[in-house]
Amino acid sequence: MKSDDVSFGIDRRTLVSGLALLPAISGTLLSTSAQAQTTSDGLASWNDGRAKQAILDFVWATTAQGSPKFVPPEDRIATFDQDGTLWVEHPIYSQVVYCLDRVPAVVEQDPKLKDVEPFKTVLTGNREAIAKLSLHDLEKILFATLTGMSVDDFEAEAKKWLTSAKDGRWKRPYTELTYQPMLEVMQYLRGNGFKTYIVTGGGQDFVRVYSQQIYGIPPEQVVGTAAGTKYGYRKDGTPFLTKEPKLLLNDNDAGKPEGIHLMIGRRPHAAFGNSTGDREMLEYTGAGDGARLMMLVLHDDAKREYAYGPAQGLPDTKVGTFTQELFDEAKKAGWTVISMKSDWKRIFKFEQNT
Amino acid sequence: MKSDDVSFGIDRRTLVSGLALLPAISGTLLSTSAQAQTTSDGLASWNDGRAKQAILDFVWATTAQGSPKFVPPEDRIATFDQDGTLWVEHPIYSQVVYCLDRVPAVVEQDPKLKDVEPFKTVLTGNREAIAKLSLHDLEKILFATLTGMSVDDFEAEAKKWLTSAKDGRWKRPYTELTYQPMLEVMQYLRGNGFKTYIVTGGGQDFVRVYSQQIYGIPPEQVVGTAAGTKYGYRKDGTPFLTKEPKLLLNDNDAGKPEGIHLMIGRRPHAAFGNSTGDREMLEYTGAGDGARLMMLVLHDDAKREYAYGPAQGLPDTKVGTFTQELFDEAKKAGWTVISMKSDWKRIFKFEQNT
């Protein structure tokens, strides 16, 4: 793919220089150029339009030899929020489902919890009551279900869960509910020398379990909400790490640029999100000089996925809040809003292209 | 270099299989093999011996096609301590010098500090008195000199300091006091598909300023002692990060495997250190299955560098404590001790090979 992209870059540059001299026929030439792009850029699930063009323009500006905004390959960093940006987050984050599913095992180990809230509610299996649990309740469950596990046990358990658990609507493993157009963008950026990172409010250890397999992103390129670990020794002297209930990084909102500084150490050139939790990451990315790409996924496709977030009058929900205020900031700052409905030919790999 | 290494790997494997059939002439063949190694492995500053052989054996075992201990390229992680392992740490860590050098500027901003210890002592310039400051004093100076700076200002200042500051003995910039044999090992490992990381007790942001330039290691592959940052906005609305006096990761001792889990998310296959602060990192690395390489640099060359650390009766100092206990653990666990005196042909690039 890389060599195709490079040759496309050169073709386009040559073309653009030519156009400057021949303004009268630019319309015709540009449409030929757009056709060439569709076959060579790998963004097959994207409709032509402002969003796709923003990606193509950014990659060209940062990678074409001679471009005034050329970025050396070693500086090419792109960051992606996960929930709602790379895969389905509605009606509930899959990691929350994972934690809820672990509650019976936790209660078995500590039986007195079965009469304590919020564990009591979770054990009833009453979906409506569970959906009403507060963020604080969920945090309580999160720490109770993860704390004290060895890092290795956690990885094995989460892996096992991921192969068996299924989403309620599509009846498929969560790992199949990734957005095909976003997988294509990540692949396209990597093919052009970008190092792709996930920067998620979700648990860093959780996302690392499957990031390589489903996104092609290795564990060390996942920045997420992270708790501490504790080094110790088993009875036979073997060292191991245990998960601790100490929050090191809350990788949401301002925590995203802070986490990026901690884990990557430099400012991204491109950042993708879908909610107010990604606002600061996009602002931080946009504050760098040269070419920058900031994009927000808008969930406006009730038929193929979901439509939610108060922006543009969509219904408000607990997850992925895309407020009207964020929409306005995007417009003002020149960020590109991706309409799932209009910009994406298909959303999931298992769909046929429409 | 990569293709050379691969062909070397195949040659050596073929040779080794052949040797099993021809034990009588193995001496002759092995010495031919060793000669071939010297030209193709890039370890030009290493004397032949147990340490060099341990590196070659490890790389062969983990990268040769068909090796029972083959490690897929994406899993090849190698971690290096910095101070005393990659560059000179004696008689004082260069980052401490950096912080001491910043004291006058800090006192200028907050003049009442000039009568407060330990700043008062630092301002006298009395080297003996400064050398006697406690770790707690140094921490106080560290936080005072770094806290409240923007991340960008810190980077610019540290960069500037590094170009002007010089070591007392060699009268050269600290960045020239890297160990040439270790640079060769890092290069050799990278040439064989390993991702090299620095895992240092030193400040993460400090080491990231020069890691690419002097070690070929990008900022995101530096794990170090890290304080938090705070996201905020300048008066014109531009977002920026400020250094905070909140310790997130003390990357020493047990903090090294904990930091590796936080920042890399998987166990290294090779780890290099030189002091008790690296013990847990080497233990953690060694506890993985398959081929693992654990090495400790012993400072036993008073003439070309320094001789210190109580191991083998060398003088004890404040920095880089290589205790007899660590030496014994290394022996028991099968870690390889690198003697700077015997294993290294030259220590610095600016030396002639001896």
Side-chain angles (χ1 to χ4, degrees), chain A residues 47-352:
Chain A
N47 288 315
D48 289 336
R50 225 167 59 90
K52 181 178 173 181
Q53 199 58 48
I55 300 166
L56 297 174
D57 289 347
F58 167 76
V59 168
W60 184 80
T62 52
T63 65
Q65 289 296 335
S67 159
K69 294 178 175 175
F70 182 82
V71 175
E74 62 273 20
D75 289 338
R76 296 179 194 162
I77 304 277
T79 56
F80 295 82
D81 168 57
Q82 183 194 231
D83 294 298
T85 299
L86 296 181
W87 76 354
V88 175
E89 66 181 350
H90 195 82
I92 187 167
Y93 300 122
S94 59
Q95 192 182 359
V96 172
V97 182
Y98 166 72
C99 290
L100 296 176
D101 284 354
R102 281 209 76 239
V103 166
V106 170
V107 171
E108 201 181 309
Q109 286 216 310
D110 185 359
K112 70 178 184 300
L113 286 178
K114 80 173 192 293
D115 301 314
V116 177
E117 288 297 356
F119 303 95
K120 200 173 155 183
T121 297
V122 174
L123 289 171
T124 63
N126 180 332
R127 286 181 156 267
E128 265 180 58
I130 293 170
K132 278 182 194 145
L133 291 176
S134 70
L135 198 64
H136 180 69
D137 288 331
L138 293 176
E139 272 174 11
K140 228 187 217 170
I141 293 168
L142 195 82
F143 274 130
T145 49
L146 303 182
T147 298
M149 279 184 98
S150 83
V151 159
D152 295 336
D153 287 350
F154 171 78
E155 195 183 321
E157 280 244 353
K159 246 182 201 154
K160 203 174 127 193
W161 182 82
L162 279 162
T163 57
S164 60
K166 284 183 178 166
D167 169 83
R169 174 169 163 189
W170 287 277
K171 318 286 179 208
R172 287 172 181 271
Y174 294 98
T175 47
E176 288 185 24
L177 299 183
T178 52
Y179 304 138
Q180 179 62 21
M182 294 305 291
L183 297 178
E184 291 168 6
V185 172
M186 289 196 286
Q187 182 74 27
Y188 177 55
L189 286 170
R190 287 197 292 266
N192 282 284
F194 281 85
K195 216 164 167 175
T196 52
Y197 280 81
I198 291 171
V199 177
T200 173
Q204 182 168 280
D205 284 352
F206 183 76
V207 180
R208 281 175 170 176
V209 167
Y210 55 83
S211 61
Q212 179 70 54
Q213 183 205 326
I214 75 171
Y215 302 121
I217 290 181
E220 63 269 24
Q221 284 163 228
V222 174
V223 179
T225 295
T229 55
K230 197 177 158 56
Y231 181 84
Y233 301 91
R234 296 188 201 280
K235 278 177 194 158
D236 67 358
T238 316
F240 73 112
L241 294 169
T242 312
K243 288 173 87 73
E244 290 263 291
K246 190 181 83 178
L247 190 67
L248 287 184
L249 174 64
N250 179 357
D251 200 43
N252 282 298
D253 309 309
K256 290 209 173 191
E258 291 163 8
I260 287 169
H261 179 72
L262 177 68
M263 311 279 289
I264 311 178
R266 42 192 172 159
R267 195 190 301 266
H269 277 81
F272 299 76
N274 78 304
S275 81
T276 52
D278 304 311
R279 189 171 75 100
E280 288 84 352
M281 174 167 76
L282 269 65
E283 287 174 348
Y284 183 63
T285 302
D289 51 15
R292 307 275 160 171
L293 178 65
M294 284 70 64
M295 302 193 92
L296 285 169
V297 174
L298 180 68
H299 294 260
D300 58 356
D301 193 332
K303 199 175 149 221
R304 294 187 301 174
E305 202 235 12
Y306 295 102
Y308 59 93
Q312 309 295 288
L314 297 172
D316 197 357
T317 60
K318 267 192 177 180
V319 293
T321 312
F322 195 144
T323 59
Q324 185 60 42
E325 195 194 354
L326 182 64
F327 198 90
D328 295 340
E329 180 171 353
K331 207 168 166 184
K332 205 176 145 193
W335 305 344
T336 305
V337 173
I338 300 166
S339 158
M340 292 178 78
K341 197 170 174 178
S342 330
D343 287 315
W344 290 357
K345 265 190 201 140
R346 62 170 174 179
I347 292 181
F348 304 111
K349 195 174 183 166
F350 56 78
E351 274 175 52
Q352 293 303 313

Side-chain angles (χ1 to χ4, degrees), chain B residues 153-263:
Chain B
D153 286 351
F154 171 79
E155 195 183 320
E157 280 245 353
K159 246 183 201 153
K160 202 174 129 196
W161 181 84
L162 279 162
T163 57
S164 59
K166 284 183 179 167
D167 168 83
R169 175 168 163 190
W170 287 278
K171 318 288 178 208
R172 286 173 181 270
Y174 294 99
T175 46
E176 288 186 23
L177 299 183
T178 51
Y179 305 139
Q180 180 60 24
M182 294 305 291
L183 297 179
E184 291 168 6
V185 172
M186 287 195 288
Q187 182 74 29
Y188 178 55
L189 286 171
R190 287 197 291 265
N192 282 283
F194 281 85
K195 214 163 169 176
T196 52
Y197 280 82
I198 292 173
V199 178
T200 174
Q204 183 167 279
D205 283 350
F206 184 76
V207 179
R208 282 175 170 177
V209 168
Y210 54 83
S211 62
Q212 179 71 53
Q213 183 204 329
I214 76 172
Y215 302 122
I217 290 181
E220 63 268 25
Q221 285 163 228
V222 174
V223 179
T225 295
T229 56
K230 197 175 158 55
Y231 181 83
Y233 303 89
R234 295 188 202 281
K235 275 175 198 161
D236 68 356
T238 316
F240 73 114
L241 293 169
T242 312
K243 289 174 86 73
E244 289 264 291
K246 188 180 86 177
L247 189 68
L248 287 185
L249 174 65
N250 179 357
D251 200 44
N252 282 297
D253 308 308
K256 289 210 173 189
E258 291 162 8
I260 287 170
H261 178 72
L262 177 68
M263 310 279 289

Side-chain angles (χ1 to χ4, degrees), chain B residues 41-317:
Chain B
D41 59 27
L43 301 179
S45 302
W46 289 74
N47 289 314
D48 291 335
R50 225 166 59 89
K52 181 178 173 180
Q53 199 58 48
I55 300 165
L56 297 174
D57 290 347
F58 166 76
V59 168
W60 184 80
T62 51
T63 64
Q65 289 295 336
S67 159
K69 293 176 175 175
F70 181 82
V71 175
E74 63 272 20
D75 288 337
R76 295 180 195 161
I77 304 278
T79 55
F80 294 82
D81 167 59
Q82 183 194 230
D83 293 300
T85 299
L86 296 181
W87 74 354
V88 174
E89 66 181 349
H90 195 83
I92 186 168
Y93 300 121
S94 59
Q95 191 183 0
V96 173
V97 182
Y98 166 72
C99 289
L100 296 176
D101 284 355
R102 282 210 75 238
V103 166
V106 170
V107 171
E108 201 180 309
Q109 286 219 309
D110 184 1
K112 68 179 185 299
L113 286 177
K114 81 173 192 290
D115 301 315
V116 177
E117 288 296 358
F119 304 95
K120 201 175 158 183
T121 298
V122 174
L123 288 171
T124 64
N126 179 333
R127 288 182 154 266
E128 267 180 56
I130 293 170
K132 279 181 194 146
L133 292 176
S134 70
L135 198 65
H136 180 70
D137 287 332
L138 293 175
E139 273 174 9
K140 227 185 216 171
I141 293 168
L142 196 81
F143 275 131
T145 50
L146 303 182
T147 298
M149 280 182 98
S150 83
V151 158
D152 294 336
D153 286 351
F154 171 79
E155 195 183 320
E157 280 245 353
K159 246 183 201 153
K160 202 174 129 196
W161 181 84
L162 279 162
T163 57
S164 59
K166 284 183 179 167
D167 168 83
R169 175 168 163 190
W170 287 278
K171 318 288 178 208
R172 286 173 181 270
Y174 294 99
T175 46
E176 288 186 23
L177 299 183
T178 51
Y179 305 139
Q180 180 60 24
M182 294 305 291
L183 297 179
E184 291 168 6
V185 172
M186 287 195 288
Q187 182 74 29
Y188 178 55
L189 286 171
R190 287 197 291 265
N192 282 283
F194 281 85
K195 214 163 169 176
T196 52
Y197 280 82
I198 292 173
V199 178
T200 174
Q204 183 167 279
D205 283 350
F206 184 76
V207 179
R208 282 175 170 177
V209 168
Y210 54 83
S211 62
Q212 179 71 53
Q213 183 204 329
I214 76 172
Y215 302 122
I217 290 181
E220 63 268 25
Q221 285 163 228
V222 174
V223 179
T225 295
T229 56
K230 197 175 158 55
Y231 181 83
Y233 303 89
R234 295 188 202 281
K235 275 175 198 161
D236 68 356
T238 316
F240 73 114
L241 293 169
T242 312
K243 289 174 86 73
E244 289 264 291
K246 188 180 86 177
L247 189 68
L248 287 185
L249 174 65
N250 179 357
D251 200 44
N252 282 297
D253 308 308
K256 289 210 173 189
E258 291 162 8
I260 287 170
H261 178 72
L262 177 68
M263 310 279 289
I264 311 178
R266 42 193 172 158
R267 197 191 298 267
H269 277 81
F272 299 77
N274 78 305
S275 80
T276 52
D278 304 312
R279 190 170 74 97
E280 288 83 353
M281 175 168 74
L282 269 66
E283 288 174 348
Y284 182 64
T285 302
D289 50 16
R292 305 277 161 171
L293 179 65
M294 284 70 64
M295 303 193 90
L296 285 169
V297 174
L298 180 68
H299 293 260
D300 59 356
D301 194 330
K303 200 177 148 219
R304 295 187 301 173
E305 202 237 12
Y306 295 103
Y308 59 93
Q312 311 293 289
L314 297 172
D316 198 359
T317 61

Side-chain angles (χ1 to χ4, degrees), chain A residues 19 24-33:
Chain A
L19 286 178
I25 55 161
S26 67
T28 325
L29 276 175
L30 271 174
S31 84
T32 315
S33 163

